[in-house]
Amino acid sequence: MGTRDASDGRAAQPEWRVRAAELAARGVETVALTIVDNAGICRVKTFPLARLTEVAERGVGMAPCFDVYTSADRMVSSPHLGGPDGDLRLFPDPDRIVPLAAQPGWAWSPADRYEQDGRPYASCQRLFAKSAADRAAALGFTLTMGFETEWILRRPDGTCPTTGPAYGMTRVVELADYGRDLLRALTDQGVRVLQFHPEYSPGQFEISTAPADGPVAAADDLVLVRETIRAVSARHGLRASFAPTFTAGEVGNGCHLHLGLHRDGTDLHRDPRAPYGLALDAAAFLAGVLERLPALLAVGAPSPASYLRLAPSRWAGAYRCWGVENREAALRLVPGDGHAELKCFDATANPYLLAGSVITAGLAGIAEGAKLPDPVTGDPAGLADVPRLPRSLDEAVDHLTASDELREAMGEVLYGAVLAVRRAEAEDFADSDPERIAADTRWRY
Ligand code: GLU
Ligand code: MG
């Protein structure tokens, strides 16, 4: 990753001036520049549009301590981060900046983070995702990726705005204006919606969007989709919760990661000669991910609340197995659509960190020529020989602690910060019962 200096921003000035004029013409006055921290919280700095070209050149300041913040805003420390010192520069992305349809007068951009001297910030998860994609590309592989978003709606007084049954048209009728406004806002922002439907739990809905070219675009899409849902919900007098466990003991919100592997323009999920259409490299990639799911859970299911969601027979993918169209397997292969779905992850994950970690695991699988075990049919809960994924954050953290591959890929600073936040979250909730955990995380995400 190259060092960045002000001349990079200056070189891009004509492009940024065009962007600023376009945004002004669309009524934008203020820009929200976001990062996602290691606890999965989207944090923001905002500035007036009039400063956009200056910000593109010099960045916006932000403290590095957010990478060791817990979901409850408790600052902890890692071997490298924590405390009041230091400052970073946040840079917007000219390809992603977009007016926010549900926040008139606002635009949004994800940020890359650099040190003041122009070096890439070692704990920038978006740069980590980029570097993982670059490692894949150097081996000839590209990935399509997309996250699926589930959320639960409530009125401010806590009551549920829908009465209709799971997956029922009644809920769409009850919230027809909301659904239309949401899809319109996403479409206006250039997000291609594939589906919107009511989910299982009371007041629960889901949106899936078109796969993006690569992990960074997929993670950016997810942030934009989630914050748009939050904003449209607010405009309709509703609150949206993306937390893994809204009500202890009930079906929660997943944030499944869909991915497809390609090599030199060939779709490795549609090999007509291979079993399930999976070319050797795609099978090895998925086998590598499946093998490493216990460690990946500390990245993709990073909250104590994640483990209340990750229970058998709730379509959350609590077992370390794969299956063709099997909704109880952590890895669901969808041969008809040419991709695989990782179901065990949720919205408390940092999507950049997760995408980069999954790529790391998949490339390790390719490097070792990993083979997929036999697929599982039916609910693995009834099968003796299918392993459960970790049942607690502590258990997942033990696996991440033992993963030299993820440690090396993230680098010491990012890896150390992730572990520090995980241990702090586990400690903070160690004495909480499931109801307390659900209550304390419900409105943080
Ligand atoms: N809500 C389920 C979860 O916690 C997922 C349901 C589905 O398969 O979409 O992941
Ligand atoms: Mg769903």
Side-chain angles (χ1 to χ4, degrees), residues 126-174:
R126 196 168 184 263
L127 293 177
F128 167 64
K130 265 184 205 165
S131 77
D134 289 347
R135 273 188 285 126
L139 298 167
F141 298 107
T142 54
L143 285 116
T144 51
M145 278 194 173
F147 291 91
E148 206 176 281
T149 296
E150 294 183 338
W151 70 101
I152 288 177
L153 288 173
R154 287 292 181 266
R155 296 194 189 95
D157 66 2
T159 57
C160 182
T162 62
T163 60
Y167 309 101
M169 180 63 186
T170 303
R171 284 198 206 166
V172 171
V173 174
E174 289 174 310

Side-chain angles (χ1 to χ4, degrees), residues 1-8 57-62 86-91 113-122 127:
M1 204 76 59
T3 299
R4 186 190 164 100
D5 61 38
S7 66
D8 291 326
E57 189 175 311
R58 303 205 16 240
V60 167
M62 191 184 217
D87 203 44
L88 302 168
R89 307 307 297 175
L90 272 56
F91 292 91
R113 292 184 290 169
Y114 285 81
E115 301 282 357
Q116 285 178 328
D117 65 7
R119 281 175 302 131
Y121 172 50
L127 293 177

Side-chain angles (χ1 to χ4, degrees), residues 148 150 199 206 251-254 256 309 314-316 343:
E148 206 176 281
E150 294 183 338
E199 258 290 344
E206 173 183 321
V251 168
N253 293 316
H256 308 173
R309 162 185 169 259
R314 289 192 201 154
W315 291 11
K343 291 181 66 83

Side-chain angles (χ1 to χ4, degrees), residues 71 241 243-245 303 305 429 436-445:
S71 60
S241 168
T245 301
S303 164
F429 288 100
R436 187 79 260 150
I437 295 174
D440 286 352
T441 45
R442 188 176 294 144
W443 297 115
R444 303 302 293 175
Y445 293 97

